[in-house]
Amino acid sequence: MTPQLIQPTGAAHTRIYSYGAARGQNAVPNEDLIEPIDSSDEWIRQRTGIITRVRADADTSAIDLAADAAAEAIERSGIPADKIDAVIVATISNPKQTPSVSAIVADRVGANPAAAYDLNAACAGFAYGVAQADALIRAGAAHYAVVIGTEKLSDVVDPTDRSISFLLGDGAGAVVVGPSETPGIGPTVWGSDGSKADAVGMNHTLTEFRDGLAPWPTLRQEGPTVFRWAVWEMVKVARQAIEAAGITPDDLAAFVPHQANMRIIDEFAKQLKLPESVVIGRDIETTGNTSAASIPLATHRLLEEHPELSGGLALQIGFGAGLVFGAQVVVLP
């Protein structure tokens, strides 16, 4: 007789318990960036909505930012750090190819020996991480998880580049995810379109840099292509996430899209026909585009400024390099 394996099952539902945040120490206004790109403060504001962005000190890494954000999220959650058994970090900013940011962060926050891994889905990374934490807990593979989006994009900025350099900032946002008696995380709608991978990403490889064939790799984008894709295609994904959650736009308390560009955010809200009562995350104005960190950072700020949103529904959607996307509706802690 063949032995029967045990397959565990976990909680029926999950929710986000808390948010934590860490931003770069330095506010960098537009005036500090305009000379190398032959631009103006007005041009940057009109195109992006950014007044200033935060960037970290030279000796602060994405790992440092992630650990600070995770520590705040864990403290606010009320869950002891040693009960966290999964740490998921979304980032494109690991200063080393290995070891993972997540393993180091797990140790720093007291979650050793939690399962720990990094994922690279660029600006959709946080939404991917939340989807995975939800699935792990409901499958019984974890009890409590920390999901972190962390970036130090100032390490991969070419100050003379007019396509994306003035958008980027540094920071980390984190959440604690755990079991719930009622559904707190809706179905995730996610995917990618790698056929358009060249629209936004690194302009060179590390091996090209090593061999003296290219300068240090930095981020570049085809702005019009990304704008059209984000507005027209991602609105469809947002609608799918709302429908999959079994709600309507009128049920939302908040909308927190990836903080890519204020024009994209405003057009997004217009296309979704959101009621005026929906509070929209616009953290990009003073934080900049922080890729995987942008959604938790923007949500953290919304909850600080609007505590009445607690218990309400928020649609969050990430999209970015590799034309990877992910969206879900969550209950705000």
Side-chain angles (χ1 to χ4, degrees):
M1 181 177 177
T2 303
Q4 186 171 350
L5 295 176
I6 295 173
Q7 276 196 307
T9 57
H13 309 297
T14 65
R15 64 182 175 90
I16 293 174
Y17 286 31
S18 58
Y19 283 79
R23 288 177 168 82
Q25 301 94 330
N26 307 300
V28 181
N30 293 336
E31 287 84 355
D32 289 1
L33 305 179
I34 58 178
E35 185 175 348
I37 61 173
D38 189 24
S39 186
S40 67
D41 172 61
E42 181 182 11
W43 184 84
I44 294 175
R45 290 194 191 209
Q46 287 180 347
R47 284 181 165 266
T48 71
I50 297 175
I51 297 173
T52 185
R53 75 283 296 138
V54 290
R55 290 184 175 171
D57 291 339
D59 59 355
T60 297
S61 70
I63 299 170
D64 300 323
L65 294 166
D68 288 347
E72 182 188 355
I74 293 170
E75 181 180 1
R76 289 188 168 198
S77 74
I79 304 301
D82 61 4
K83 298 296 183 184
I84 304 291
D85 46 11
V87 176
I88 303 169
V89 172
T91 187
I92 62 169
S93 304
N94 188 348
K96 297 180 179 180
Q97 294 294 294
T98 191
S100 67
V101 173
S102 54
I104 298 170
V105 170
D107 180 60
R108 287 193 188 181
V109 300
N112 244 342
Y117 63 94
D118 294 357
L119 65 88
N120 181 345
C123 309
F126 178 74
Y128 270 51
V130 169
Q132 292 182 24
D134 165 58
L136 289 170
I137 293 167
R138 290 192 290 116
H143 296 92
Y144 299 99
V146 173
V147 178
I148 309 160
T150 185
E151 304 290 7
K152 191 184 180 189
L153 299 178
S154 58
D155 284 344
V156 288
V157 163
D158 174 359
T160 67
D161 167 57
R162 287 177 60 90
S163 74
I164 198 171
S165 63
F166 52 88
L167 290 167
L168 305 177
D170 303 334
V175 293
V176 173
V177 179
S180 174
E181 294 183 358
T182 56
I185 299 174
T188 298
V189 177
W190 54 357
S192 66
D193 182 2
S195 69
K196 298 182 179 67
D198 291 340
V200 54
M202 305 301 288
N203 61 345
H204 299 293
T205 68
L206 287 174
T207 52
E208 288 172 338
F209 173 70
R210 178 199 63 194
D211 296 340
L213 302 175
W216 176 251
T218 56
L219 283 167
R220 294 289 197 277
Q221 73 170 350
E222 296 174 5
T225 300
V226 174
F227 184 91
R228 287 192 298 271
W229 174 75
V231 169
W232 302 112
E233 297 303 318
M234 290 306 95
V235 166
K236 299 174 187 176
V237 172
R239 291 185 183 126
Q240 290 173 27
I242 291 171
E243 182 178 352
I247 66 168
T248 71
D250 291 340
D251 296 317
L252 292 172
F255 173 48
V256 190
H258 165 49
Q259 303 292 291
N261 180 307
M262 194 73 80
R263 291 166 60 210
I264 292 175
I265 294 170
D266 291 341
E267 186 63 28
F268 226 137
K270 178 182 176 182
Q271 293 294 326
L272 286 174
K273 297 180 171 59
L274 297 177
E276 292 185 4
S277 59
V278 175
V279 181
I280 300 173
R282 290 190 170 91
D283 190 48
I284 189 172
E285 186 175 59
T286 55
T287 299
N289 178 341
T290 54
S291 190
S294 77
I295 290 174
L297 281 175
T299 307
H300 182 276
R301 175 159 283 170
L302 278 190
L303 290 170
E304 293 286 304
E305 297 176 349
H306 300 276
E308 72 277 5
L309 292 175
S310 178
L313 298 177
L315 168 63
Q316 55 187 29
I317 177 168
F319 46 87
L323 300 199
V324 175
F325 57 86
Q328 66 252 134
V329 176
V330 303
V331 177
L332 294 171

